[in-house]
Amino acid sequence: MRQFEPGVIIYQRENDMKRLSNQQLSALPAAVKRPSYDRSKVTPGIVHIGVGGFHRAHQAVYLDELFNQGLGHDWGLVGLGLLEHDKAMAEALAPQDCLYTVVEQDIRGNVARVVGSMIDFVHAPSTPEKAMELLCDPRIRIVSMTITEGGYNIDQATGKFLTSNPAIQSEAKSSAPKSVFGYVVGALAERLKRGIAPFTVLSCDNLVHNGKVAAHAFCTFAEMRDPELAEWMRSSVAFPNTMVDRITPVTTPQTKVLAAEMLGLEDQWPVACESFKQWVIEDSFCNGRPAFEKVGAQMTSDVTPYEVMKIRLLNAGHSAIGYLGYLCGFEHIFEIMGDGDFQKFINKFWNDEVTAHVKEVPGVNLGEYKRSLFERFSNPNIRDQSLRICSDGSNKLPKFLLPTIREALQKGAPIKLMSLVVASWMRFMNGTDEKGQTIPMNDPRADSIQPIAKRGGESPVELLKVDEVFGDLGSNEKFAAEVGAALRELYQLGARKTVQKYIA
């Protein structure tokens, strides 16, 4: 077994089971959903950058459902991998004709579907010219992306694009693209030169105003190259805001076994997820779009209330139980949610501190929404790892939790439980759990933050000075005091007794 990135595991073939492919679709069991459309008639319309598990279980499924209705066959997906290890994806997908299995895992049972909306996958480092020509193809009218919360090169404290980043400065001066910025901006420049209409840039990452963040990042990079290009992009390219939601755990060897059992075929790139999915999209596109509303996506003029609700309750809620649960020794989120102390903690976290800072959302009852989150987190068939939730915390916390703390401080509202969550991240970043075992780190700032966490121990003073995470919030006396008190408790009492103390 070789692991190339979180969520993508390539397995050695252990038997003579036939491989999932177009030729084998007719051999699937009747219970397995599969493309009812002629895939040879689907033409490219969307390039997606960052083809991880979430995209495969979310946007690609919406398009597959649309194609099954006989609609939008000119909006086929082409995956684009910009990283060296994305080559593993290309190698896994090619023999399968870009087909893969999505296993929806619900408390009532599992449902498998084979998704056919992705019609090709291009590995940019291996074929940069092909990647650029793909992005310049007039048929491509949307470039969507899931490049993670930290992939936009934004200063957490100021919200500004980091033009001082040496890699960004080098790429801005080069004609050879490497990153998402080089490829997207380079393709838009070439389309302008050739008289080809621009594509819409559609961010699907967990960021409030993700479209606005993307617009700032890509246009600022363009300005570093050519101010006139940046001006054209600001006036001609659309960057819709979106809210995306579907819990999608890391693919494991068990996922591959489960998919094979349900299909009777080998799938080297399956993905498991919950049955729930949601997509709210700002209806602002510059070059057409699929009829997403026909398959359950919600088109709106203002995504903000949905974004804030989801990020502050779901994403921050995941972080709230993830770090503390991991420190208590829980491997999976559903196991944490089966614990009485954590059931009280998450409800207290939501109800006593967070909900007051979530505005009303059209058509949504927040009480029912929180109850649904409780049920989704508790789903025993979704074996979502607490370690996955704990990954990339230096990028996630400033977006998921710290804005709520800022608002609470301005209003004089309580921040005790939220501060405990911040302290649990600091304790986690020490790199050693309560049994003295090394914690596997998956955070882009681990090399700089972990030594500070180790050196500071029970004191958060140095960590609060990490501007990339806390900005000016780190100098707030009340916040510093609350985090300091919580961090001391975690070191002196341990996570379990600290949670018990905070819910008492």
Side-chain angles (χ1 to χ4, degrees):
M1 181 178 73
R2 301 172 291 159
Q3 181 145 3
F4 292 86
E5 68 155 354
V8 179
I9 299 177
I10 306 301
Y11 307 90
Q12 304 296 336
R13 300 189 70 174
E14 297 177 352
N15 51 50
D16 294 327
M17 183 178 286
K18 291 183 178 180
R19 187 80 169 265
L20 175 64
S21 66
N22 282 333
Q23 188 177 1
Q24 298 299 327
L25 284 176
S26 60
L28 290 171
V32 176
K33 300 179 183 178
R34 83 288 309 270
S36 62
Y37 48 93
D38 183 349
R39 296 186 74 223
S40 68
K41 300 292 178 62
V42 177
T43 55
I46 300 174
V47 169
H48 186 85
I49 301 172
V51 185
F54 178 78
H55 166 70
R56 291 182 285 139
H58 192 264
Q59 181 186 351
V61 171
Y62 277 94
L63 286 164
D64 190 59
E65 292 175 347
L66 188 67
F67 299 166
N68 274 329
Q69 291 187 15
L71 301 172
H73 289 180
D74 58 338
W75 290 103
L77 272 169
V78 179
L80 180 60
L82 302 185
L83 305 176
E84 287 293 340
H85 65 230
D86 288 339
K87 188 174 183 179
M89 303 181 194
E91 292 173 347
L93 282 170
Q96 299 183 181
D97 301 314
C98 289
L99 293 168
Y100 63 90
T101 313
V102 172
V103 181
E104 297 180 359
Q105 299 181 299
D106 192 88
I107 56 175
R108 293 161 294 188
N110 299 325
V111 176
R113 70 179 298 152
V114 172
V115 175
S117 53
M118 190 184 305
I119 58 175
D120 198 4
F121 186 92
V122 175
H123 184 236
S126 301
T127 55
E129 297 85 3
K130 182 178 179 180
M132 185 57 72
E133 281 306 309
L134 169 67
L135 291 168
C136 292
D137 188 331
R139 295 176 297 176
I140 299 302
R141 287 151 288 160
I142 294 174
V143 172
S144 56
M145 60 193 65
T146 41
I147 56 175
T148 76
E149 294 80 12
Y152 293 83
N153 190 49
I154 297 294
D155 187 308
Q156 307 284 9
T158 65
K160 300 298 184 182
F161 187 72
L162 290 166
T163 56
S164 59
N165 183 327
I168 291 294
Q169 289 185 342
S170 175
E171 189 170 15
K173 298 173 184 176
S174 171
S175 59
K178 293 182 179 180
S179 73
V180 64
F181 304 106
Y183 273 101
V184 169
V185 172
L188 285 168
E190 187 63 24
R191 289 172 79 111
L192 175 61
K193 179 181 176 181
R194 298 183 192 179
I196 301 170
F199 46 68
T200 293
V201 177
L202 186 67
S203 170
C204 298
D205 284 297
N206 282 316
L207 299 165
V208 174
H209 308 316
N210 54 10
K212 184 177 180 180
V213 171
H216 170 67
F218 286 100
C219 291
T220 304
F221 180 84
E223 194 162 344
M224 295 173 70
R225 283 191 164 180
D226 179 357
E228 291 186 5
L229 172 63
E231 185 177 351
W232 172 77
M233 284 174 54
R234 290 187 178 104
S235 63
S236 303
V237 179
F239 296 86
N241 293 307
T242 67
M243 186 273 268
V244 297
D245 189 5
R246 189 170 219 184
I247 296 173
T248 308
V250 170
T251 296
T252 66
Q254 289 73 30
T255 312
K256 188 244 185 177
V257 171
L258 178 59
E261 289 175 348
M262 299 184 76
L263 268 61
L265 297 169
E266 179 190 19
D267 182 353
Q268 290 278 354
W269 210 37
V271 59
C273 61
E274 63 176 339
S275 57
F276 177 93
K277 69 179 187 297
Q278 186 178 17
W279 198 7
V280 183
I281 310 169
E282 181 184 4
D283 200 356
S284 175
F285 291 73
C286 62
N287 198 358
R289 65 167 177 82
F292 291 125
E293 69 277 8
K294 298 288 187 182
V295 286
Q298 184 173 349
M299 310 304 298
T300 181
S301 61
D302 186 10
V303 177
T304 304
Y306 302 91
E307 292 175 320
V308 172
M309 174 186 71
K310 189 256 181 173
I311 285 175
R312 295 192 177 188
L313 292 173
L314 187 151
N315 295 113
H318 254 156
S319 296
I321 61 174
Y323 294 107
L324 289 166
Y326 182 88
L327 292 172
C328 284
F330 290 109
E331 183 180 355
H332 298 102
I333 295 298
F334 80 90
E335 294 169 335
I336 299 172
M337 292 299 294
D339 182 275
D341 289 337
F342 277 95
Q343 291 174 0
K344 293 176 184 176
F345 176 78
I346 190 62
N347 280 321
K348 193 173 179 67
F349 172 83
W350 280 333
N351 297 332
D352 291 5
E353 294 193 2
V354 179
T355 305
H357 310 290
V358 177
K359 297 179 181 179
E360 287 189 16
V361 180
V364 177
N365 180 297
L366 287 180
E368 293 177 359
Y369 181 74
K370 286 181 286 186
R371 283 190 289 274
S372 75
L373 292 182
F374 192 99
E375 293 176 1
R376 292 168 63 194
F377 288 0
S378 303
N379 184 349
N381 290 325
I382 294 293
R383 303 183 68 82
D384 202 1
Q385 295 180 336
S386 52
L387 196 59
R388 181 186 80 87
I389 298 301
C390 294
S391 67
D392 202 21
S394 67
N395 281 314
K396 289 178 178 177
L397 286 184
K399 299 172 178 67
F400 298 167
L401 183 62
L402 300 189
T404 312
I405 293 175
R406 282 191 171 88
E407 284 190 24
L409 288 168
Q410 291 171 1
K411 298 175 182 177
I415 61 167
K416 186 172 183 178
L417 297 175
M418 293 189 287
S419 298
L420 172 58
V421 176
V422 174
S424 69
W425 169 75
M426 293 178 169
R427 175 65 184 84
F428 177 88
M429 291 303 294
N430 177 289
T432 306
D433 66 19
E434 293 179 1
K435 295 181 179 180
Q437 300 297 312
T438 299
I439 298 174
M441 286 289 162
N442 182 12
D443 190 297
R445 296 186 178 89
D447 290 345
S448 60
I449 290 178
Q450 188 172 342
I452 299 174
K454 281 183 174 293
R455 187 166 60 246
E458 297 180 14
S459 171
V461 173
E462 278 194 82
L463 280 172
L464 289 172
K465 293 178 181 177
V466 179
D467 287 342
E468 296 91 342
V469 177
F470 295 103
D472 60 354
L473 184 61
S475 61
N476 184 282
E477 292 182 3
K478 179 174 175 57
F479 175 61
E482 291 279 15
V483 172
L487 189 58
R488 285 192 297 274
E489 301 280 20
L490 288 172
Y491 274 101
Q492 294 175 12
L493 300 179
R496 166 68 70 180
K497 290 184 178 180
T498 301
V499 169
Q500 292 173 340
K501 183 174 180 178
Y502 271 64
I503 62 176

